[in-house]
Amino acid sequence: MASIIQALPTEVVYLITAGEVIDSFASVVRELVENSLDAGATRIVVYLWPQQWRIRVADNGCGMNLEDLQQAATAHSTSKIRSSDDLWKINSLGFRGEALHSLTTLAEVEILSRPPGKSGWRVVYGNGGKAMQVEATAIAPGTVVAVSNLFGNCSSRRQGLPTTAQQMKAVQATIHQIALCHPQVTWQVWQNDRQWFTICPAGTTGQLLPQILNQVRQGDLEEVKLELPHPPNSVLNLVIGLPDRCHRHRPDWVRAAINGRMVNSPEIEQAILSAFHKTLPRDRYPICILHLAISPDQINWNRNPAKTEIYLNEICYWQEQITQAIDQALKISPTNIKESVHTTRVSKLLKAAESKGGYNFNPQTPNEDNQTLNSLKAVAQVSNTYIVVEHPGGMWLVEQHIAHERVLYEQLCDEWQLVPVEPPTILYQLSPAQVSQLQRIGLDIETFGEQLWAVRTLPAMLQQRDDCAEAILELSWGGDLQTAQVAVACRSAIRNGTPMNLQEMQTLLDNWQRTRNPRTCPHGRPIYLSLEESALARFFRRNWVIGKSHGI
């Protein structure tokens, strides 16, 4: 075998943070399945008997020969690092060589393992990890680790654990987190001899997520993969829930992973939340899974026993890359205006017939920088409120007021311009708090008599409005500058019920598509309703009609 388990030198042991934390069913499962993943497993089966304090994890990884098996559970024995220099080149999930050793002090442990093309062996370990019983055994290539009587020598530990239901929920969450980082793996989890849940392999994290988060559909997600020039061979994988389609009451699905492991990084999580600012309704949070694959010399994994708290070099650089990736995912571009894909023979015939007819719904768009703008075409206005939009993959209904509100809000964020007005706008009976609020957002306001105030500067968008005084009163009721900008944009945007001609609608569409966050207004409301061509075809049963009429 390429790697042999050896005890770490004493000087390396002194440099390692305290050993793995084994304090629950979930922590045992985490350590064992991480060993399976390090062994290259593509199928992992977890068996749980919580009332009997038993766990078994089986995998189809590379397995261990007899020499490795006899050494596997001794203190600080590992095949993953050799010297102190290796602590800065960690590519595996484990490296301290303490998980199996710790388990032998807390439970009865046996391991069955067989490398491909070699014999299988079963080893039973005593306290401290010494091999007490060794025998040949028949086993498929891979490894099975069985843990029995967990915490049997520590009754206070058992009594201090949460309820069985809570512990099983923690196990499920642990497996879900690991599965999202390794979507190519098949998972089977059994509880009390009954299959509990399975996770089928997927090509990407985004394709796997709907198996774990049931209320999310594939179409609700956008996935971005970026290869970064610095450091070399760095890759940023991002899965976001589109803010007009899904969001959460809590930030429980704002998650970051680095090199195959979920980590706690307040700096990264804050960058994610900031990038979604003013795209979601109040008190709602995004769905976002970030996975960075970067050079191991950029990370210090050896800061916490659970390896979830890390030090990442150049954190400001990574925050900037994350923000840019989220901005890219939120935009409407030719890559995410998804054209429907037809796979059946009838659908191909339908597509061919459409291309020859006068009702072709999928015109070719020019391959130019303004491809996106040309691909959205204003067709009509409904109820003086909604713009009917045609694009290569179907049609949208765009609400004109909030689309314009998004345009104006981003303009205000980029250039908050206050202009002098003459004569000034006069307000009556303002409280000291209202006066202070207007001054806080930059307006020039002074007393003009008893219970009268003169406002001598205004946001440029409000200058020509007849309801200018009402708008300023609205701004006086509180909030920061961004809140004020949202209020100004909302008041200045074209009202629903206002007739628009085709050129006005097209201009609004073009300006809206150029915004950074075109999917929702600053209050978090969805701006457009998508009716994809494939859905229209299914509803009108177009393939069924053509098939029947031609005897297909």
Side-chain angles (χ1 to χ4, degrees):
M1 294 177 62
S3 60
I4 301 296
I5 295 175
Q6 298 177 5
L8 290 172
T10 303
E11 63 271 17
V12 179
V13 173
Y14 287 155
L15 293 174
I16 289 180
T17 301
E20 322 297 353
V21 176
I22 306 294
D23 58 3
S24 63
F25 271 89
S27 61
V28 175
V29 171
R30 181 189 68 231
E31 297 297 343
L32 296 183
V33 300
E34 285 185 351
N35 281 344
S36 296
L37 292 169
D38 281 340
T42 59
R43 180 181 179 84
I44 300 175
V45 186
V46 179
Y47 302 89
L48 301 161
W49 295 271
Q51 284 79 17
Q52 301 172 35
W53 301 90
R54 290 172 55 205
I55 301 169
R56 187 168 74 207
V57 174
D59 67 58
N60 65 347
C62 64
M64 292 178 280
N65 58 27
L66 179 57
E67 183 181 355
D68 282 352
L69 272 173
Q70 291 176 312
Q71 186 75 12
T74 56
H76 293 295
S77 292
T78 180
S79 61
K80 298 162 188 176
I81 66 172
R82 289 284 182 266
S83 68
S84 57
D85 290 341
D86 292 338
L87 287 172
W88 306 100
K89 297 181 291 185
I90 293 171
N91 288 297
S92 56
L93 297 172
F95 58 85
R96 297 187 183 121
E98 278 289 273
L100 293 175
H101 176 71
S102 297
L103 274 174
T104 63
T105 67
L106 298 168
E108 300 165 10
V109 178
E110 70 173 35
I111 302 179
L112 294 76
S113 193
R114 175 191 159 196
K118 296 189 177 182
S119 301
W121 293 91
R122 171 179 174 266
V123 177
V124 178
Y125 302 89
N127 192 317
K130 184 178 179 180
M132 304 298 292
Q133 183 179 340
V134 179
E135 62 184 20
T137 190
I139 181 178
T143 300
V144 179
V145 181
V147 177
S148 306
N149 197 25
L150 181 62
F151 306 131
N153 58 356
C154 188
S155 58
S156 59
R157 178 75 61 87
R158 283 187 176 182
Q159 293 170 1
L161 289 173
T163 64
T164 298
Q166 289 174 308
Q167 290 195 71
M168 293 303 99
K169 185 176 181 181
V171 168
Q172 185 179 42
T174 297
I175 294 175
H176 283 172
Q177 286 206 3
I178 297 173
L180 288 169
C181 297
H182 303 271
Q184 74 282 359
V185 176
T186 300
W187 299 81
Q188 273 192 359
V189 185
W190 295 68
Q191 185 180 167
N192 295 326
D193 299 314
R194 292 185 178 182
Q195 188 164 296
W196 181 16
F197 66 90
T198 62
I199 302 175
C200 298
T204 65
T205 299
Q207 294 168 3
L208 184 79
L209 183 58
Q211 295 185 60
I212 294 174
L213 201 54
N214 294 329
Q215 61 268 44
V216 172
R217 299 173 301 171
Q218 192 69 51
D220 297 335
L221 305 172
E222 188 69 32
E223 199 158 4
V224 171
K225 180 178 181 180
L226 298 177
E227 296 184 4
L228 305 178
H230 172 75
N233 302 317
S234 298
V235 179
L236 185 155
N237 287 281
L238 181 74
V239 180
I240 68 165
L242 297 173
D244 55 328
R245 302 184 188 182
C246 55
H247 34 73
R248 307 280 292 178
H249 284 292
R250 297 181 291 122
D252 54 341
W253 276 93
V254 176
R255 302 189 181 184
I258 296 179
N259 290 6
R261 174 184 276 115
M262 289 285 182
V263 298
N264 299 323
S265 175
E267 297 90 350
I268 289 178
E269 291 164 11
Q270 188 54 52
I272 292 172
L273 292 172
S274 297
F276 280 90
H277 189 58
K278 295 300 180 186
T279 67
L280 296 169
R282 183 183 301 175
D283 299 327
R284 300 291 289 190
Y285 298 90
I287 293 171
C288 181
I289 301 174
L290 169 78
H291 194 166
L292 292 175
I294 60 180
S295 175
D297 61 10
Q298 298 291 311
I299 315 162
N300 182 356
W301 287 110
N302 194 33
R303 291 172 64 90
N304 181 276
K307 306 180 190 127
T308 56
E309 295 179 14
I310 62 165
Y311 179 80
L312 185 62
N313 296 347
E314 302 183 66
I315 187 64
C316 292
Y317 168 78
W318 294 112
Q319 288 176 314
E320 181 181 349
Q321 299 304 313
I322 292 164
T323 300
Q324 291 177 3
I326 293 174
D327 288 347
Q328 177 178 326
L330 290 176
K331 287 182 181 296
I332 296 175
S333 67
T335 57
N336 58 26
I337 296 181
K338 297 181 178 65
E339 190 169 5
S340 57
V341 178
H342 300 274
T343 56
T344 66
R345 178 169 173 258
V346 171
S347 294
K348 290 177 181 177
L349 287 172
L350 172 64
K351 207 172 184 80
E354 285 186 18
S355 64
K356 296 177 182 178
Y359 60 93
N360 181 14
F361 208 72
N362 293 297
Q364 295 295 316
T365 54
N367 186 18
E368 301 173 358
D369 291 340
N370 63 346
Q371 179 180 2
T372 308
L373 298 182
N374 290 341
S375 65
L376 294 192
K377 177 184 176 183
V379 176
Q381 187 185 32
V382 178
S383 300
N384 292 335
T385 297
Y386 305 104
I387 302 173
V388 181
V389 181
E390 179 184 349
H391 72 82
M395 61 180 289
W396 292 344
L397 288 179
V398 176
E399 188 186 316
Q400 62 194 38
H401 170 72
I402 56 177
H404 195 207
E405 183 181 334
R406 167 55 68 181
V407 172
L408 297 180
Y409 170 68
E410 293 195 6
Q411 290 176 356
L412 286 169
C413 289
D414 295 338
E415 187 176 353
W416 176 246
Q417 184 181 7
L418 299 175
V419 296
V421 289
E422 189 60 42
T425 300
I426 306 302
L427 301 179
Y428 179 62
Q429 285 188 333
L430 294 179
S431 69
Q434 288 177 284
V435 174
S436 176
Q437 168 64 17
L438 293 175
Q439 292 172 337
R440 186 180 302 116
I441 62 175
L443 273 61
D444 181 4
I445 181 172
E446 61 184 17
T447 56
F448 195 67
E450 187 171 350
Q451 295 297 308
L452 294 176
W453 281 264
V455 180
R456 301 190 181 277
T457 59
L458 293 174
M461 285 187 185
L462 298 181
Q463 187 178 11
Q464 304 300 324
R465 292 191 63 91
D466 295 334
D467 59 352
C468 182
E470 290 85 350
I472 299 172
L473 282 173
E474 183 179 342
L475 296 179
S476 73
W477 290 116
D480 56 13
L481 179 59
Q482 284 190 329
T483 303
Q485 290 166 339
V486 171
V488 171
C490 184
R491 182 170 284 271
S492 304
I494 186 171
R495 295 296 179 192
N496 288 333
T498 303
M500 300 177 71
N501 60 39
L502 278 177
Q503 183 55 54
E504 290 170 336
M505 289 186 281
Q506 189 65 52
T507 300
L508 175 55
L509 287 178
D510 293 346
N511 290 336
W512 165 59
Q513 291 172 82
R514 293 189 184 99
T515 60
R516 293 182 291 274
N517 297 306
R519 298 183 181 276
T520 56
C521 77
H523 301 96
R525 291 172 57 200
I527 292 175
Y528 69 96
L529 170 66
S530 175
L531 296 170
E532 300 304 314
E533 196 277 341
S534 55
L536 293 171
R538 283 196 304 272
F539 179 80
F540 290 108
R541 296 178 173 83
R542 288 156 60 199
N543 56 343
W544 181 86
V545 171
I546 290 179
K548 289 289 186 181
S549 63
H550 291 278
I552 298 176

